[in-house]
Amino acid sequence: MAVSQREQALSLLAAANNHGDLAVKLSSLKQAKDIFLSADLALLAAELFPYLVELQSSHEALVRKTLVEAIEEISLKTMEYSPVLMQVLLTLLSDDDSVVARQSIVAGTHIFCKVLEELALQFHRHGLVERWLEDIWSWMIKLKDTVFQIALEARSVGPRLLAIKFLETCVLLFMPDNDSRGHNTEATRSAQVFNVSWLAGGHPVLDSVALQSEANRSFLILLDLLRSASVLPGSITISVVSSMVGSIVQG
């Protein structure tokens, strides 16, 4: 079965990379993703993920957007095999196409929240954090810093709006005495369950004090953006105000 899935995935990824018809590229990529989601990635990931990664250089924005969607689904379902995909996601955060950049921020937000949850739960259940999860968290830190920069500097409004929502998410996740489980935003489809109070007994990777400092930093960035409202597009100002109010009300 694994051999058959390997051959199918190789054929589909070759079509996604090389076929001249966009519809065929997109269909092939989606079928390859479905194979990854159903296959034993312990047998396939190391060999096949490099072909998936190549798609980040596709000239078609829809292919890059679909690649981001595939990375999100694969990472959320089989996180232990996804560190190699995080560099792609980080690169596409700054894609020249606004649609691709927006999708990357959305996907990055979902993965960021899931990694936080898994870090806390893995240590709680097993008393340790596996190396692959530490590796993914290091990518999440880079992702967070990149999204912060997008919130401050991006010229395109769409990605910037989602980056501002990411700032709000960080405040809600990292502030003490905050129940984020009921919080849901455009950038976070499913309710978050991570709560910084879970780290009260200590954690080998997550520092609750450092995370609370990140919450403060996120809120201060929102405040600085609000102070610059006179030179910002109206939609950005509205988003900043909404995020600040959401942070205060939910916090």
Side-chain angles (χ1 to χ4, degrees):
M1 179 64 73
V3 173
S4 175
Q5 288 179 322
R6 171 186 172 278
E7 292 173 350
Q8 291 177 38
L10 279 172
S11 176
L12 289 166
L13 289 172
N17 274 292
N18 302 315
H19 202 282
D21 187 291
L22 177 59
V24 173
K25 284 177 176 285
L26 295 175
S27 175
S28 298
L29 175 52
K30 291 174 182 177
Q31 290 179 66
K33 175 203 69 179
D34 290 340
I35 291 176
F36 285 135
L37 291 175
S38 63
D40 181 356
L41 289 184
L43 301 175
L44 299 179
E47 179 181 3
L48 298 185
F49 274 6
Y51 296 100
L52 186 65
V53 166
E54 285 182 11
L55 290 166
Q56 68 181 303
S57 301
S58 173
H59 296 301
E60 291 93 350
L62 275 176
V63 172
R64 302 195 302 277
K65 177 179 179 289
T66 305
L67 172 61
V68 172
E69 294 169 347
I71 287 173
E72 178 184 351
E73 289 191 52
I74 293 167
S75 298
L76 292 177
K77 182 176 174 64
T78 54
M79 191 173 290
E80 61 268 36
Y81 301 108
S82 64
V84 68
L85 304 178
M86 293 303 100
Q87 175 65 68
V88 179
L89 185 61
L90 195 67
T91 298
L92 295 178
L93 285 171
S94 303
D95 196 275
D96 291 336
D97 188 280
S98 177
V99 171
V100 179
R102 293 201 310 268
Q103 191 65 46
S104 300
I105 295 172
V106 171
T109 303
H110 295 156
I111 296 170
F112 185 87
C113 295
K114 183 66 175 179
V115 171
L116 267 174
E117 177 188 341
E118 185 63 27
L119 277 166
L121 292 178
Q122 191 177 95
F123 182 65
H124 176 72
R125 292 168 178 166
H126 307 294
L128 55 83
V129 173
E130 294 181 75
R131 180 58 182 270
W132 62 263
L133 190 53
E134 289 191 56
D135 289 344
I136 294 179
W137 179 241
S138 69
W139 283 110
M140 291 299 98
I141 294 172
K142 295 176 183 177
L143 180 143
K144 171 183 62 65
D145 291 341
T146 301
V147 176
F148 280 15
Q149 288 301 116
I150 292 172
L152 287 167
E153 301 174 357
R155 297 181 180 179
S156 182
V157 171
R160 200 169 188 185
L161 291 172
L162 287 171
I164 288 167
K165 280 297 182 183
F166 182 83
L167 289 168
E168 178 188 350
T169 297
C170 287
V171 175
L172 292 167
L173 286 171
F174 300 154
M175 284 295 287
D177 302 321
N178 168 57
D179 184 0
S180 61
R181 286 171 290 183
H183 178 63
N184 198 3
T185 71
E186 177 184 354
T188 53
R189 286 182 306 213
S190 49
Q192 302 154 6
V193 298
F194 174 80
N195 192 300
V196 74
S197 65
W198 294 359
L199 309 179
H203 192 279
V205 176
L206 301 174
D207 183 330
S208 61
V209 174
L211 293 181
Q212 290 170 41
S213 177
E214 282 298 292
N216 291 330
R217 178 189 173 202
S218 301
F219 192 82
L220 288 174
I221 292 174
L222 290 171
L223 185 59
D224 286 341
L225 287 169
L226 186 60
R227 289 169 176 159
S228 305
S230 61
V231 297
L232 294 175
S235 58
I236 297 292
T237 301
I238 292 171
S239 181
V240 170
V241 172
S242 175
S243 291
M244 292 186 72
V245 170
S247 299
I248 294 169
V249 172
Q250 295 283 345

